[in-house]
Amino acid sequence: MLQIESLAKSFSGFQAVGDASLSVPRGQVVAVIGPNGAGKSTLFNLITGHIKPDAGRIVFKGREITALPPHQVSRLGVARSFQLVNIFPRLTVFENVQVAVLARLKQSGRLFTPARRLVVQETFEVLHKLGLKTSSDRICSSLSYGDQKVLEIAISLGSSPELLLLDEPTAGMSPEETRTIVQLIKQLSQREGLSILLTEHDMDLVFDVAQRIMVMHQGRTIAEGHPAEVRRDRAVQNAYLGETG
Amino acid sequence: MSVSMLASQLLVGLSRGMIYFIVAAGLTLVFGVLRVINFTHGSFYMLGAFIGYSVAAGIGHGSAGFWLMLVLAPLAVAGISLLVERGFLQFVYRREHLIQVLLTYALVLIAGDLVKFFWGSQYRSLSTPPIFTGSFATGSITVPKYNVFLLLVGPLVALGLWLFLSHTRFGKICRATATDREMVDILGVNSTWIFAAVFALGGWLAGLGGALMAPVVNISLGMDANTIIYAFLIVVVGGLGNIWGALISSLIIGVGEAFGALFMPDWAVVLPYIITGVLLILRPSGLLKSVW
Amino acid sequence: MSMSWLDRSKEKTARVIPFRPILLVSLLGVAALLPPILPAYYLYLLTTVYMTALLATSLNFVLGYGGLLQLHHAVFFGVGAYTVALVLTKTTWPFWLAAVLAPLVAALLAAVIGWFCVRLRGLYFGMLTLALGQLVWAIIYKWRSFTSGDDGIHGIPLPGLVSSPTSVYYINLGVLVVCLLILYAVIKSPFGLTLVAIRDNPVRSQSVGVNIKRHQLAAFVLSGFFAGAAGVLFVLIEQSVSPSLLYWSKSAEILIMDLLGGMAVFLGPSLGAAILVVLSMVVGTYMDYWLLVMGLILLLLVLFLPQGVLGYLQELFGRKTVQGGERDAAN
């Protein structure tokens, strides 16, 4: 589904990502782990086109998407959710998702049809899937933090992606809320057949949901493989797992 | 068209650019540190000219009046801008850009009518002081003495600003605030008095620009509107908040305008806008690095 | 850039109030009945209000809903007016052609200016609109042989059908209503929803697949079109044009109207335009210091009522509903 080959990016001399490689097979959950500052967020930004790489290739479904602008990457079927809550705060829950659905169906430019009559079905489907249907009329900045993170994922699903990038989906969440997210990730991957690439600090979660793990350290890929292999990897233990205990 | 004519026009353009720089430097400094688009800057310039007129006319049109005006007018304007900052601006720092723009624009309207109230709506003019009347002639190049004076003052102000910003504690704090706001809070510097002082310094520069221009222009209502637009263009072209960018673009626009007046006098007014447009299209974020 | 007083959610509150459409239709009915009973001066005043309301609303489309810091909107207004004036004085083309051409020319100019501006964000966007707008002003100001320069063009010949004060009144009212309905429909359309989404969160909009530059450019062109239409109305009312129509301080005046009425409410700018037009005429006849008055009004607004008059009224009203309560929690 997604292949990344020796991607590199520096910011004014500081190498944020250097020689990162990764592959996400169709329908699998892949986790990128690594200490803070390992370059995980930069890697995500490179994949979605928010930042252009200095070197390397990104291939999605056999097509090179390196350095495409974000809206085109999105239209090809890559959606992301953000580490911090990144929603449209003054729109309703429904409208938040609707914006994404409209963009996917290339309806964003329609000038005279009332928006509330368009793509209602598709939008409710997503809301229903994530249990947000009852709050669809609420202004989303009035939702709880956990619900906002769920909405964050809902917006991404509104693009009906084949590959979903989740940047620390459970950051700042209560254990209860975290369990909901874990359920959600499993559901999306197993029932919907979605490929998911995520970063996460919660190791229990990572080893629970991921079929493959890639470990980043100082911008480089130092290991990639099945969770069990990664757990055994000496370099990983030294670089990362050892440090955090 | 002789070479000497071009050369003297170049000098006139450079001296005009220096005035633009003095005014624009204040604007860009306020941009950089306070992050406020200050439309009132043009009014400060106008006030500098009017107050300068009153001082010089009060003393008599001699040299003493001129020098005193150059000292007093900018100081008075700095005082006024300090009042403006403490009285109004400090309440909108956390608000949207648009609100800040409109607040400073409200002050433009008020200042305009106050000037009309105190000085009336007919225009005033000052003569150049005796020591600067006439022209310097070197070979076949002739330049009015007053322009030569401006050519000296401009770099002096630039040098002063540079020394101030890079060699004083206050200046360093200003630059730090311009590049990274949180830094200053972390350093434990009280940003309130920095903002006030920078705004007053900006006002001082605008007032100085107005006072320096007073002997060579018609001092009139409406001189604020033209000046503020020019200053904006210069600041944007130079890179928001970057004083050296403002210096370069001031000189480009001053010289461009002077040559425009020579080659196509009817279109001299359009030229600064064309220069700005072209420069912005080539370098949308300014000639030098913006601090934003 | 966050603009917290631009809150679309208030419109939701308004939708549950059944008498709002009734109120608007009755207002319209009253407006339609006024010409026979109103003295000429007040008729002229109202006509000017309608024209200005369209201008202010066209700005608010990009400013309030699009979140674009458009600092020089008057350019499109002035270019629309100049297009009509030049066509009617320099060609033998009929009036209707001039009236159709004007908004299109304004939209074309908006496409050119917007093409450069949408590459920039926030303040830089605003500065570039200002610079390019002033360039257009300078050209019209200086191109004496074509535009008559700072003299302006006066006594523009209008066909008899559109030159009586009563017919001008009805044309202004009709054009205002039609244009506002169109703009309202656009705001409620997917295009409008996406525009608001971009304003709220450009990065996120991009990552759900919205081409934000193209979208903002389209909005910019649309708002230029309606400003051009207001320019046509101006010529109908005044039968003259001058470069001051597109000087930057005119743009500032339109900004003040939007802020005064309230940028989060669709009809806010119209109310702001009405207040400012009426005030300027009333105050202008009694004293020399109209700008001082306008400055003080603006100062008070900025410091104490940034949501605008209509925004404030809706807030007062909205508190009573469930949605209003939610909104308070949201802020």
Side-chain angles (χ1 to χ4, degrees), chain B residues 231-263:
Chain B
F232 273 150
L233 299 183
I234 287 163
V235 164
V236 174
V237 169
L240 278 183
N242 191 315
I243 289 179
W244 312 118
L247 178 60
I248 295 170
S249 53
S250 300
L251 296 180
I252 292 178
I253 287 184
V255 171
E257 213 179 9
F259 282 129
L262 200 60
F263 292 115

Side-chain angles (χ1 to χ4, degrees), chain A residues 38-175:
Chain A
K40 295 174 305 225
S41 287
T42 308
L43 180 67
F44 269 31
N45 282 326
L46 288 168
I47 297 172
T48 54
H50 285 94
I51 303 176
K52 306 218 176 309
D54 302 330
R57 269 158 52 90
I58 307 168
V59 177
F60 177 66
K61 288 199 293 180
R63 179 179 166 180
E64 175 152 3
I65 59 163
T66 321
L68 279 185
H71 65 270
Q72 286 185 22
V73 174
S74 162
R75 282 176 194 174
L76 290 172
V78 180
R80 77 176 289 188
S81 82
F82 291 76
Q83 188 171 345
L84 302 168
V85 169
N86 198 346
I87 53 183
F88 306 108
R90 283 167 285 178
L91 302 186
T92 64
V93 169
F94 181 83
E95 287 169 332
N96 262 271
V97 177
Q98 195 186 18
V99 167
V101 178
L102 286 168
R104 167 177 46 106
L105 299 173
K106 296 197 169 35
Q107 306 268 306
S108 304
R110 287 184 68 167
L111 277 172
F112 299 113
T113 327
R116 67 195 143 86
R117 290 199 209 128
L118 283 172
V119 302
V120 176
Q121 193 78 40
E122 293 89 335
T123 307
F124 269 127
E125 222 166 79
V126 174
L127 291 175
H128 182 69
K129 221 178 275 174
L130 300 195
L132 286 169
K133 201 170 174 179
T134 47
S135 43
S136 72
D137 272 342
R138 288 177 60 178
I139 297 300
C140 67
S141 50
S142 70
L143 296 177
S144 71
Y145 180 76
D147 279 348
Q148 290 191 8
K149 291 283 280 193
V150 174
L151 178 60
E152 172 77 52
I153 296 174
I155 296 173
S156 311
L157 292 181
S159 311
S160 195
E162 293 178 61
L163 172 67
L164 180 62
L165 308 183
L166 301 174
D167 198 353
E168 298 198 13
T170 67
M173 281 191 160
S174 68

Side-chain angles (χ1 to χ4, degrees), chain B residues 22-24 26-27 38-46 202-203 205-206 228 231:
Chain B
I22 290 172
V23 177
L27 189 63
N38 180 25
F39 270 87
T40 326
H41 203 71
S43 309
F44 291 157
Y45 167 83
M46 175 169 73
L205 285 165
I228 190 64

